[in-house]
Amino acid sequence: MTKGGMESVEVFTSEGKGRGLKAQKEFLPGDVIFAEPAYAAVVFDSLTHVICHTCFKRQERLHRCGQCKFAYYCDRTCQRAAWLNHKNECSAIKRHGKAPTENIRLAARIMWKMEREGSGLSEGCLVSIDDLQNHVENFGEEEKKDLRVDVESFLEFWPPQSQQFGMQYISHIFGVINCNAFTLSDQRGLQAVGVGIFPNLCQANHDCWPNCTVIFNNGNHEAVRSMFHTQMRIELRALSKISPGDELTVSYVDFLNVSEERRRQLKKQYYFDCTCEHCKKQIKDDLMLAVKEGDHKPSAETVKEVIQFSKDTLEKINKARLEGVYHEVVKLCRDCLKKQEPVLGDTNLYLLRILSIASEVLSYLQMFEEAADYAKRMVDGYMKIYHPNNAQLGMAVMRAGVTHWHAGLIEAGHGMICKAYAILLITHGPSHPITKDLEVMRVQTEMELRMFQQNEFMYYKMREAALKNQKIEVMPEPSNETAPSLFHKKE
């Protein structure tokens, strides 16, 4: 079965996993297997005034919808593009008196689209919304309670003149959102800003070591001529060579967890038992649980104590980050590293987590030399654990490269930026804003490296003068969120 723009993939029944997608032709790393616009998408409640409701880009100044005073857009182009999907929402918000939560808004947008187009197959879709899994029968008591609240709120918001849907069908839509909604990020890919439904993507099954990755592309509405405009979409991209007939898989969770923990997350959030090779054989678990080897190998009791101390410290760090007390975060990290270093191996999960937080927060505080040391150790550990073409690895190496550049460590910084660029060319593609930013950095650090190699003294003199004249580019404030995960789960 193939559909517009989807000729290279086929839906099939995967043994023990329900439906899946398989390749109809060969793909090489970095190839776009398919791009898919959102069936429906909304901005998170907390960000509705700072993110464009059409392309999900973060902008300084946005235009507000004059009617409902709720929706915001980059410009008239984005506002016009949104009208078909916003029209019903706009009048419903005015009638209701305020905008409902993101879940209600997303369900309403899905149903208004069905009202316009019917509930069958939409153009370019391999499956209809009716055919998507809802897993309502697997809901626990808490989830059932949340579902009832959502359905009641939806019925209050849904206009009487719109097509009326039965309670069971409304529950189906909320079930679909609960286990199929995809996280949308801003144009820098650093913050989750919204949530959308992409029916074709929903057909890709999970594997902890997948052959594909999903990247959100905000599109380009800024081109002067509209023929160069591109719409917001997700792209399914190949991470490794894929042959015709191979199943296409993506990872629903971050690989940086031992197999038992990943399986627990997948069961809780997506209601299935992972049977991938990496989980069955517990591949890389030994690296993530590594302890110091050699003459002074720590006892099992000491390892247990240090792991518990690390868990307690991570909780304290989260609290300090939420309060914005970053110097306290640094102190907690340093104390924890002192305890970890004699006991845990270089690839141990808990050591890597502390190194990641320490390097990010120290960079924000402009303590770049110490940050660079931690970032280097973090990247060395990540390289041994992650798939070589993992998007999160690419982003981490990029941040480490920028930190090294700020610390004046131009050779190491340039090397990391080149490495990150090679990964992101595959995971994000050359036209993605993040890759373009990285290309600019790569050219700049290459030029600086040449200057450094020709005359080290002059390089530092010029760098000092340049940094005095221009405000140093401060690293973004550390986020309390982890990197956006693939699928959105309501907390």
Side-chain angles (χ1 to χ4, degrees), residues 32-55:
V32 176
I33 295 165
F34 66 76
E36 180 182 14
Y39 186 87
V42 295
V43 174
F44 286 151
D45 296 336
S46 56
L47 299 168
T48 51
H49 57 297
V50 291
I51 299 292
C52 172
H53 289 219
T54 295
C55 67

Side-chain angles (χ1 to χ4, degrees), residues 12-27:
F12 77 111
T13 304
S14 173
E15 201 182 328
K17 291 195 276 187
R19 279 191 304 261
L21 289 181
K22 66 177 170 188
Q24 294 273 64
K25 60 176 226 183
E26 182 179 89
F27 293 101

Side-chain angles (χ1 to χ4, degrees), residues 164-284:
Q164 297 304 304
F165 294 90
M167 295 282 271
Q168 202 173 346
Y169 195 75
I170 297 168
S171 297
H172 165 72
I173 296 297
F174 280 112
V176 164
I177 291 170
N178 184 63
C179 58
N180 293 288
F182 178 80
T183 306
L184 310 179
S185 49
D186 62 6
Q187 65 270 42
R188 294 287 162 257
L190 299 174
Q191 189 190 9
V193 296
V195 57
I197 290 287
F198 297 82
N200 295 336
L201 172 65
C202 294
Q203 303 312 299
N205 283 317
H206 165 84
D207 194 296
C208 291
W209 200 258
N211 56 12
C212 299
T213 189
V214 183
I215 293 299
F216 179 59
N217 193 316
N218 303 77
N220 176 16
H221 291 166
E222 292 159 19
V224 177
R225 293 172 64 193
S226 59
M227 67 180 283
F228 294 117
H229 288 173
T230 55
Q231 72 186 129
M232 177 194 92
R233 62 199 182 275
I234 57 98
E235 292 171 351
L236 186 73
R237 306 179 71 93
L239 291 180
S240 49
K241 187 181 170 191
I242 296 169
S243 301
D246 285 355
E247 181 170 6
L248 303 169
T249 56
V250 294
S251 181
Y252 297 177
V253 293
D254 185 7
F255 184 69
L256 202 66
N257 267 312
V258 291
S259 52
E260 186 186 356
E261 176 56 23
R262 292 197 306 272
R263 291 177 91 160
R264 191 193 63 76
Q265 278 180 21
L266 291 162
K267 184 72 172 171
K268 183 174 175 230
Q269 296 184 356
Y270 306 103
Y271 314 103
F272 71 86
D273 296 303
C274 186
T275 56
C276 81
E277 205 65 9
H278 276 66
C279 280
K280 277 196 301 199
K281 295 182 178 171
Q282 301 179 341
I283 298 169
K284 307 238 177 190

Side-chain angles (χ1 to χ4, degrees), residues 59-117:
Q59 303 285 14
E60 283 297 309
R61 298 186 61 183
L62 293 166
H63 298 259
R64 186 164 70 160
C65 172
Q67 300 281 316
C68 64
K69 311 278 194 285
F70 168 73
Y72 285 81
Y73 304 100
C74 295
D75 49 30
R76 293 275 173 254
T77 309
C78 278
Q79 190 162 4
R80 275 196 299 272
W83 185 239
L84 180 65
N85 289 312
H86 178 57
K87 188 178 173 183
N88 294 107
E89 177 184 73
C90 190
S91 57
I93 288 170
K94 281 194 291 180
R95 188 187 73 87
H96 192 57
K98 64 176 199 274
T101 62
E102 63 219 26
N103 250 27
I104 313 301
R105 287 186 286 119
L106 184 56
R109 282 190 167 218
I110 290 170
M111 293 200 224
W112 278 314
K113 185 159 182 170
M114 286 181 170
E115 191 178 48
R116 286 196 308 272
E117 300 178 1

